[in-house]
C-alpha cells in the first residue's frame, strides 16, 4: 500500500519551504495535438499519486507543454508545485516580466512557484537576478532559480546578489555523475538542493541490463533503482518524464525502495563517481 501524498518525501528549499522530492517533467509534451489527451492523463495520474512537482518551460513545445500542464492542473492548481523556465534571451529587465506573463497565461494561473533561468545566455547574470527578484516582489513567482549553470556560474549568481537562488536544475543521473565533484558540494554547503533532470537518461537507464539484473534481485524496476539512487540523497528533487501511465506507477514505487550499503557499492562499481572535475553536461 502506498503512503498518502501528504507523507511523501520532501526537499527543503533555502527559504525553508518543503517541496515534493519526486515530480514530473514535461519536455516533448505539447508538441502534437493527437498526443495531448494522453499527456494530460499521465500528468493527472502522477498528481493523484502525489508527484505534485511539475516541471515545464516556455521552450517545451513553444508554449504547448505549459498548456498541457494547465489542462492537467484544472481544478487542482493548489495541489501542485509548479516550475517553469524562461529562455536565456527572455531573461532581461523588460523581457523576463513579459515572458513570465505569457507563461502565466498559458498555465492559466496567477503565480509560478519556481521560475528558472533555463541556461546561461548573453544577458548579464546581474540583470537576470534583478529581473527575477522583481517578479518575486510583484507576486508573479514565489521562488527563482537556475538551470544548467556550473559552479563558476553559481558563484557569479551569488556575487550578483542572488543568494535567494532556490535550486540549480542539472543533468544528473547514474551515467552523468560529474556534478558530484564540485557543483553538488558547492550547493550543499549553501543548503541549495539540486533538481536532477533526465533522471533515467531519457529512458536508457530503464532499459539498462545491469540495472535490470539488480532490479530483479530487489523485486523492482531498473527505472525505480535509477530514481531511488537520486532520491536517497534527501536534498535532490527528481523529475522523470512519463507519457505512459504505467510508468507513473513504477516511478512512484521508487519512493518505497531502500538501497542498502551493498547495493550502493555495487552501483558505484557499475557507474563510477567522477575522479576529477568535468564540464557540466547538458541536453
Ligand atoms: N533544464 C533542462 O535543460 C532540461 C533538459 C532536459 C530535461 N529537463 C526536464 O527534466 C524532465 C525529465 O527529463 P527527460 O524527459 O529528458 O528524460 P527522463 O525523464 O530521464 O526520461 C524520459 C523517458 O523515460 C521513459 N520512462 C520514464 N519512466 C520510466 C519507467 N518507469 N520505465 C520505463 N521508461 C520510463 C519515458 O517513457 P514514456 O514517455 O514512454 O512514459 C520517457 O521516454 C524533462 O521532461 C524536463 O521537464 C530539463
Amino acid at each position: 500500500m502506498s503512503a498518502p501524498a501528504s507523507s511523501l518525501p520532501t526537499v527543503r528549499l533555502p527559504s525553508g519551504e518543503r517541496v515534493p522530492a519526486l515530480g514530473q517533467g514535461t519536455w516533448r509534451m505539447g508538441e502534437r495535438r493527437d498526443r495531448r489527451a494522453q499527456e494530460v492523463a499521465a500528468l493527472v495520474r502522477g498528481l493523484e499519486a502525489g508527484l505534485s512537482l511539475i516541471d515545464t518551460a516556455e521552450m517545451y513545445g513553444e508554449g504547448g507543454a505549459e498548456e498541457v500542464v494547465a489542462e492537467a492542473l484544472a481544478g487542482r492548481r493548489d495541489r501542485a508545485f509548479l516550475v517553469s523556465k524562461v529562455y536565456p534571451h527572455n531573461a532581461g529587465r523588460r523581457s523576463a516580466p513579459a515572458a513570465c506573463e505569457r507563461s502565466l497565461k498559458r498555465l492559466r494561473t496567477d503565480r509560478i512557484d519556481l521560475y528558472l533561468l533555463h541556461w546561461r545566455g548573453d544577458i548579464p547574470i546581474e540583470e537576470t537576478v534583478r529581473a527575477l527578484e522583481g517578479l518575486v516582489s510583484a507576486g508573479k513567482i514565489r521562488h527563482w532559480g537556475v538551470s544548467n549553470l556550473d559552479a563558476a556560474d553559481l558563484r557569479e549568481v551569488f556575487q550578483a546578489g542572488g543568494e535567494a537562488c532556490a535550486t540549480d536544475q542539472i543533468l544528473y543521473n547514474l551515467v552523468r555523475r560529474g556534478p558530484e565533484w564540485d557543483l553538488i558540494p558547492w550547493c550543499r554547503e549553501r543548503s541549495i538542493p539540486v533538481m536532477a533532470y533526465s533522471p533515467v537518461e531519457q529512458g536508457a537507464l530503464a532499459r539498462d541490463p545491469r540495472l535490470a539484473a539488480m532490479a530483479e534481485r530487489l523485486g523492482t524496476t531498473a527505472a525505480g533503482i535509477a530514481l531511488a539512487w537520486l532520491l536517497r540523497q534527501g536534498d535532490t528533487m527528481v523529475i522523470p518524464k512519463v507519457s505512459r501511465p504505467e510508468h507513473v506507477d513504477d516511478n512512484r514505487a521508487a519512493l518505497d525502495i531502500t538501497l542498502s550499503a551493498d547495493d550502493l557499492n555495487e552501483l558505484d562499481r557499475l557507474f563510477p563517481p567522477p575522479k576529477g572535475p568535468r564540464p557540466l553536461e547538458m541536453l
Side-chain angles (χ1 to χ4, degrees):
M1 177 86 174
S2 292
S6 57
S7 66
L8 296 180
T10 56
V11 163
R12 191 181 181 280
L13 298 182
S15 66
E17 183 170 335
R18 300 206 72 99
V19 300
L22 182 60
Q24 309 184 72
T26 63
W27 193 17
R28 305 260 183 249
M29 287 190 181
E31 291 178 356
R32 283 178 43 177
R33 269 257 145 221
D34 58 331
R35 289 204 195 128
R36 183 164 288 211
Q38 192 198 3
E39 292 165 355
V40 171
L43 287 174
V44 168
R45 186 150 165 176
L47 283 163
E48 282 167 355
L51 310 186
S52 54
L53 184 157
I54 306 226
D55 176 73
T56 189
E58 63 170 331
M59 184 189 101
Y60 302 162
E62 287 304 327
E66 290 182 324
E67 289 169 5
V68 169
V69 169
E71 233 174 293
L73 288 184
R76 43 173 89 78
R77 167 67 184 93
D78 290 344
R79 280 160 53 187
F81 186 86
L82 184 51
V83 184
S84 194
K85 306 185 211 77
V86 61
Y87 269 124
H89 61 260
N90 281 341
R93 189 166 60 92
R94 285 174 201 273
S95 52
C100 185
E101 280 303 333
R102 290 193 295 272
S103 284
L104 288 168
K105 201 162 168 209
R106 284 188 294 261
L107 288 161
R108 287 189 251 140
T109 186
D110 59 355
R111 82 273 178 209
I112 291 169
D113 295 301
L114 175 58
Y115 198 41
L116 309 178
L117 169 65
H118 206 148
W119 65 90
R120 187 166 184 173
D122 296 332
I123 293 178
I125 285 284
E126 200 174 344
E127 180 176 342
T128 297
V129 167
R130 257 193 259 126
L132 294 172
E133 287 285 359
L135 287 169
V136 173
S137 301
K140 303 289 182 184
I141 64 174
R142 296 182 49 245
H143 307 277
W144 65 267
V146 296
S147 178
N148 296 303
L149 261 57
D150 64 18
D153 293 326
L154 280 178
R155 266 183 219 108
E156 264 187 67
V157 168
F158 265 54
Q159 279 156 13
E163 293 91 349
C165 178
T167 193
D168 190 1
Q169 185 183 111
I170 51 169
L171 177 59
Y172 179 39
N173 63 41
L174 275 167
V175 289
R176 312 272 194 172
R177 295 186 62 173
E180 287 172 27
W181 184 259
D182 51 0
L183 180 51
I184 292 176
W186 193 92
C187 289
R188 212 160 256 160
E189 269 170 37
R190 290 157 186 82
S191 301
I192 300 174
V194 297
M195 191 181 292
Y197 76 69
S198 306
V200 290
E201 186 66 12
Q202 305 205 294
L205 287 171
R207 298 185 295 271
D208 188 286
R210 298 163 294 178
L211 287 183
M214 188 181 230
E216 203 177 326
R217 185 163 54 72
L218 298 179
T220 182
T221 61
I225 292 180
L227 299 176
W229 177 81
L230 287 163
L231 289 163
R232 83 189 191 292
Q233 311 190 35
D235 60 356
T236 303
M237 294 165 276
V238 185
I239 48 166
K241 190 216 97 174
V242 157
S243 46
R244 267 176 269 178
E246 63 272 22
H247 290 159
V248 172
D249 301 332
D250 286 349
N251 293 351
R252 164 67 185 77
L255 292 169
D256 301 323
I257 301 172
T258 307
L259 297 169
S260 68
D262 284 350
D263 298 330
L264 293 173
N265 287 337
E266 171 74 354
L267 288 169
D268 278 346
R269 193 182 61 75
L270 296 171
F271 305 95
K275 292 198 172 74
R278 289 184 200 162
L280 183 66
E281 297 174 284
M282 64 183 278
L283 290 180

